[in-house]
């Protein structure tokens, strides 16, 4: 696999070359904040552009889009990270530490499991209860969600 | 002008001429030995302006040095025929083409602008305006210097230190103001604005409005005391009537905030709050309106306007120099709004060094203050590198590479949250004050009144084309930072340059138009009313005047890009009209030829170079010179094919290298679209090519025409 070629063949991916490494993305990143900058979107982009290497840190993005909102060069930072995740899954499959989330997703349609306790709390707040959702499970199975 | 004269230079017998030199009854042919002889030139000169003339000889690149008249057509039979070994038949075709082209072109009248008024108007009383006024007045012309603020001095007057090293501004400003005041030729009008501008080069009528007057030399401390209006001027509190140590040497009234309550007039009867309008007549105008800070409150994440200690550079400098703030720690943030596609996409050019200047100002005054600089790239070009080194080495300012992502307030402190790129870590920097080095935008309220193309950006195209010698003479000159952000010294040099332009115009009785311009036939245009050409012009010269498409002859550079977009034929470029071009193409082209439309700025020179280098290319390659590839329209290309061409080449400057900014890109789009069309007519799309050929790329030119010659349709 050639990471650069894959990224540049995608319309959002093409914005990778816009980046001039100013660090504004990492500067405001909540994930970088709690991981002591182990997760560093600027570095991830730079690494992809120069080395063409994918590492597991891309899974630490919370998709809050702060980086993309603030980027002065209009690089689609968060979209690029999502794109790299897709390429990662295509190449190496879903990494082990993501699997529990997928299980939850298959069970209820959310990454965090919603059981009786949560439903009771929802009831108190006047929200409809969440039922077991088989559709999402079927989608995951059909698309080879790695379960 | 019905007679056509053809002068053919044989280059002292170096060119073998065709035997048949009969181009029609009305065409008189004269063969001359050497066109560089004074006598030959005098002979041709005697017909210039009276008859249409074709000069066949060396490249027009050379011949335009001797003859400049819109009714002369040049034929290159030396570099592009004889030198590359092409025979008399081709020479005849080329001359025939030029003759037919000229025959089908209406004679162009040479336009002259009479310089009726010998006075000049300088708008803006900052350093650039003052310097321009000084130069023009020294040359003996009367100058009206108008300033919308109550005092002269512009941006510099409001600040303590000069860009870049921090010399006190009084070193430059006071002597400059005194020079201007001493000069009796300068009429200084403060509190004055331009209301309306009418007329053109050499004959402008300008309505100006003066908001009020205070007699010179009055210290009006009592008026200041009674004034009920308090103004926050970059964080410094003052009254609407206040004093600044520049000119006039008295108090001044800030009419933006004055309520005209009349309290001050009760104290001093000499003050006039009456608005006065008057009309002045001038021959040329200098626009020195300068720049202003980008509105920092638009950069939401930096909290300007929300947090009181987040200041812009000018606010900070004014407050700091006036001793209103004594910071313990300061973070200077570069590129606030600049180099940002969400705000100003350009680099504001002076702020890197301006930031260093602020750092030096702080450290000079209070060495214990911690100063941090957040930057993306430090653009300290040329001698500024030494200044950058000094700030780092001697002053101990801490540099953090990384553009801050957000600024937050935490109690008394401000938190600058940024990645330190060199450490690869997100950091919180706690400081007392944050200084935003905001980007700069032009103070462009006047631009549309003056007919200058402006859309909130600096008028780069106007300024660049103004410095081009092929531009038409203009009466409006941009000086100083109104053109793009400049330091003080640069602004003053630029002002001298603009003054030179004004003096050059005012010194003459009349100036001649240099470039052919586009003309609009309003009866055809009015019917169709598509207005496509409005967006085609790279200079904003094609505009709507009373709902009618009009060409501003001062701004037009003669590229013909607009002419090519006009499907109705209402828009015609002088000397390169549809009829003329089509007749020339039809007469030049023979069955099986390759027609090459070459841009006169680059590719035509490449073909000339092929001549000096004695390269060989097929004789059936016929070159037609055009001002820009953007002028070549579908009609011309199809005409070449219908006249028998088996290949057509359109070649111009490399991408982004177009003399008219975007002509080559527009031509490219047009040709790519046309390729699909000609396929339907049964012409091989490969027979039509558009290429970038730079002035030195003669070998590339030869390769391409060989390819086209081999292809066939």
């Amino acid at each position: 696999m050639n990471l650069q070629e894959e990224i540049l063949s995608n319309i959002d991916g093409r914005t990778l070359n816009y980046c001039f490494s100013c660090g504004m993305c990492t500067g405001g990143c909540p994930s970088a904040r709690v991981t002591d900058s182990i997760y560093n979107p600027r570095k991830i982009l730079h690494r992809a552009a120069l080395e063409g290497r994918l590492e597991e840190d891309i899974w630490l993005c919370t998709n809050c889009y702060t980086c993309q909102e603030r980027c002065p060069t209009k690089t689609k930072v968060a979209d690029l990270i999502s794109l790299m995740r897709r390429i990662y899954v295509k190449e190496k499959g879903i990494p082990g530490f993501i699997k529990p989330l997928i299980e939850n997703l298959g069970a209820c349609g959310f990454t965090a499991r919603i059981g009786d306790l949560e439903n009771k709390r929802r009831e108190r707040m006047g929200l409809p209860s969440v039922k077991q959702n088989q559709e999402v499970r079927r989608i995951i199975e059909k698309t080879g969600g790695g379960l | 002008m019905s007679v056509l004269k053809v002068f053919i230079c044989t280059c002292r017998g170096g060119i073998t001429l065709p035997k048949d030199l009969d181009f029609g009854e009305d065409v008189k042919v004269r063969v001359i030995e050497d066109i560089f002889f004074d006598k030959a030139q005098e002979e041709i000169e005697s017909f210039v302006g009276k008859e249409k003339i074709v000069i066949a000889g060396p490249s027009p690149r050379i011949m335009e040095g001797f003859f400049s008249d819109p009714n002369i057509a040049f034929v290159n039979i030396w570099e592009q025929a004889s030198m590359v070994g092409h025979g008399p038949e081709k020479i005849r075709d080329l001359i025939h083409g030029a003759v037919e082209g000229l025959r089908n072109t209406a004679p162009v009248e040479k336009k002259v602008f009479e310089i009726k008024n010998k006075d000049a108007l300088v708008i803006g009383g900052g350093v650039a305006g003052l310097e321009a006024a000084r130069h023009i007045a020294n040359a003996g012309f009367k100058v009206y210097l108008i300033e919308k603020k109550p005092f002269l001095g512009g941006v510099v007057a409001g600040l303590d230190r000069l860009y870049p090293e921090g010399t006190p501004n009084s070193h430059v400003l006071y002597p400059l103001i005194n020079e201007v005041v001493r000069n009796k030729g300068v009429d200084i009008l403060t509190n004055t604005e331009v209301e309306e501008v009418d007329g053109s080069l050499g004959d402008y009528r300008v309505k100006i409005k003066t908001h009020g007057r205070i007699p010179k030399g009055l210290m009006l401390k009592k008026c200041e005391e009674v004034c009920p209006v308090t103004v926050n001027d970059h964080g410094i509190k003052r009254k609407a009537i206040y004093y600044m140590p520049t000119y006039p040497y008295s108090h001044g009234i800030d009419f933006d905030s004055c309520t005209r309550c009349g309290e001050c007039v009760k104290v001093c009867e000499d003050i006039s709050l009456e608005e006065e309008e008057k009309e002045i007549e001038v021959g040329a105008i200098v626009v020195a309106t300068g720049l202003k800070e980008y509105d920092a409150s638009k950069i939401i994440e930096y909290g300007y306007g929300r947090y009181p200690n987040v200041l812009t550079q000018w606010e900070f400098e004014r407050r700091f120099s006036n001793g209103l703030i004594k910071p313990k720690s300061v973070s200077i943030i570069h590129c606030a709004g600049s180099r940002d596609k969400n705000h100003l996409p350009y680099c504001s050019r002076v702020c890197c060094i301006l930031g260093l200047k602020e750092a030096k100002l702080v450290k000079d005054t209070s060495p214990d203050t911690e100063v941090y600089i957040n930057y993306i790239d430090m653009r300290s070009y040329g001698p500024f590198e030494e200044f950058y080194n000094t700030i780092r080495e001697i002053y101990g300012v801490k540099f953090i590479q990384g553009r801050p992502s957000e600024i937050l307030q935490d109690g008394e402190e401000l938190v600058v949250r940024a990645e330190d790129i060199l450490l690869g870590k997100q950091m919180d920097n706690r400081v007392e004050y944050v200084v935003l080095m905001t980007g700069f935008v032009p103070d462009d309220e006047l631009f549309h009144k003056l007919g200058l193309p402006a859309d909130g950006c600096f008028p780069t195209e106007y300024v660049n084309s103004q410095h081009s010698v092929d531009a038409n003479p203009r009466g409006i000159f941009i000086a100083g930072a109104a053109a793009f952000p400049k330091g003080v010294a640069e602004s003053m040099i630029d002002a001298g340059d603009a003054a030179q332009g004004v003096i050059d115009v005012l010194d003459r009785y009349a100036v001649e138009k240099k470039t052919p311009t586009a003309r609009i036939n309003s009866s055809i245009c009015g019917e169709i009313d598509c207005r496509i050409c409005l967006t085609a012009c790279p200079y904003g010269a094609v505009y709507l005047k009373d709902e009618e498409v009009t060409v501003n002859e001062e701004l037009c550079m003669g590229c013909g890009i607009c002419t090519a977009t006009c499907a109705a034929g209402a828009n015609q470029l002088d000397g390169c009209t549809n009829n003329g071009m089509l007749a020339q193409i039809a007469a030049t082209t023979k069955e099986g030829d390759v027609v090459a439309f070459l841009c006169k700025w680059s590719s035509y020179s490449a073909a000339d170079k092929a001549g000096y280098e004695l390269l060989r290319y097929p004789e059936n390659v016929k070159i037609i010179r055009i001002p820009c590839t953007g002028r070549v329209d579908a009609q011309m290309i199809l005409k070449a094919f219908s006249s028998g061409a088996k290949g057509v080449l359109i070649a111009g400057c490399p991408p982004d290298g177009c003399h008219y900014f975007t002509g080559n890109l527009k031509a490219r789009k047009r040709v790519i679209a046309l390729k699909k069309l000609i396929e339907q007519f049964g012409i091989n799309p490969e027979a039509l090519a558009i290429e970038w050929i730079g002035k030195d790329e003669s070998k590339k030119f030869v390769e391409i025409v060989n390819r086209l010659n081999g292809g066939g349709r």
Side-chain angles (χ1 to χ4, degrees), chain B residues 14-254:
Chain B
I15 301 174
T16 316
L17 293 181
K19 291 206 177 67
D20 174 18
L21 284 173
D22 180 19
F23 298 106
E25 276 180 14
D26 56 340
V27 182
K28 295 205 171 71
V29 180
R30 168 105 167 76
V31 177
I32 41 184
E33 272 285 285
D34 188 341
I35 200 153
F36 291 108
F37 276 158
D38 286 346
K39 273 205 170 159
Q41 288 182 9
E42 278 164 22
E43 189 188 338
I44 299 174
E45 201 62 53
S46 66
F47 294 101
V48 171
K50 294 171 197 140
E51 278 165 36
K52 291 179 180 172
I53 299 169
V54 174
I55 299 176
S59 169
R61 176 184 67 82
I62 299 163
M63 296 323 294
E64 278 181 347
F66 299 105
F67 308 102
S68 83
D69 188 87
N71 297 308
I72 299 179
F74 298 100
V75 186
N76 188 336
I77 58 171
W78 182 231
E79 286 93 336
Q80 294 178 4
S82 190
M83 264 181 158
V84 283
H86 296 169
E89 264 311 295
K90 177 176 173 177
I91 291 175
R92 190 189 144 76
D93 289 345
L94 290 177
I95 298 174
H96 187 212
V99 167
E100 287 305 316
L102 210 52
R103 202 203 299 272
N104 286 286
T105 306
V108 181
E109 214 175 300
K110 199 156 197 178
K111 175 129 187 180
V112 169
F113 298 96
E114 196 191 334
I115 310 299
K116 287 185 190 149
N117 305 316
K118 296 288 178 187
D119 299 347
L121 169 65
V122 176
I123 307 171
V127 280
L130 287 163
E131 181 74 355
R134 182 174 80 88
H135 279 296
I136 301 168
N138 280 348
F141 298 101
K142 183 179 167 62
V143 181
Y144 295 96
L145 174 63
I146 68 169
E147 165 61 50
K148 70 174 173 184
K149 296 248 172 68
F151 297 101
L152 293 183
V155 172
V156 170
L159 300 176
D160 179 33
R161 310 270 173 117
L162 284 181
Y163 173 93
E165 292 91 351
T167 326
N169 72 30
S170 46
H171 290 214
V172 167
L173 194 61
Y174 296 169
L176 182 57
I177 288 178
N178 288 344
E179 278 273 316
V180 173
V181 170
R182 201 184 305 136
N183 200 319
K184 296 283 175 282
V186 186
D187 192 352
I188 305 171
L189 299 156
T190 50
N191 271 330
T192 304
E193 285 183 85
V194 171
E195 287 283 289
E196 220 179 287
V197 182
D198 199 19
S200 62
L201 169 60
D203 183 23
Y204 290 104
R205 288 168 301 283
V206 186
K207 267 198 198 120
I208 53 172
K209 185 169 160 187
T210 303
H211 293 292
R213 269 174 205 278
I214 291 185
K216 274 178 217 162
L218 288 183
M219 280 303 284
L220 303 166
K221 207 66 195 160
K222 274 193 182 148
C223 297
E224 199 179 323
E225 277 162 20
V226 298
C227 179
V229 184
T230 309
V231 184
N232 183 343
D233 185 358
H234 286 110
I236 296 177
K237 277 198 182 125
R238 61 161 170 83
K239 293 291 182 65
I241 178 165
Y242 66 113
Y243 183 76
M244 256 175 96
T246 70
Y247 178 91
Y249 310 119
S250 61
H251 273 60
I253 300 173
D254 164 17

Side-chain angles (χ1 to χ4, degrees), chain A residues 21-24, chain B residues 373-376 400-404 418-421:
Chain A
S21 266
C22 68
M24 201 171 186
Chain B
I373 288 184
N374 274 83
Y375 66 104
I376 309 176
I400 302 169
Q401 189 173 12
R403 185 191 179 100
E419 186 199 359
D420 185 325
I421 288 181

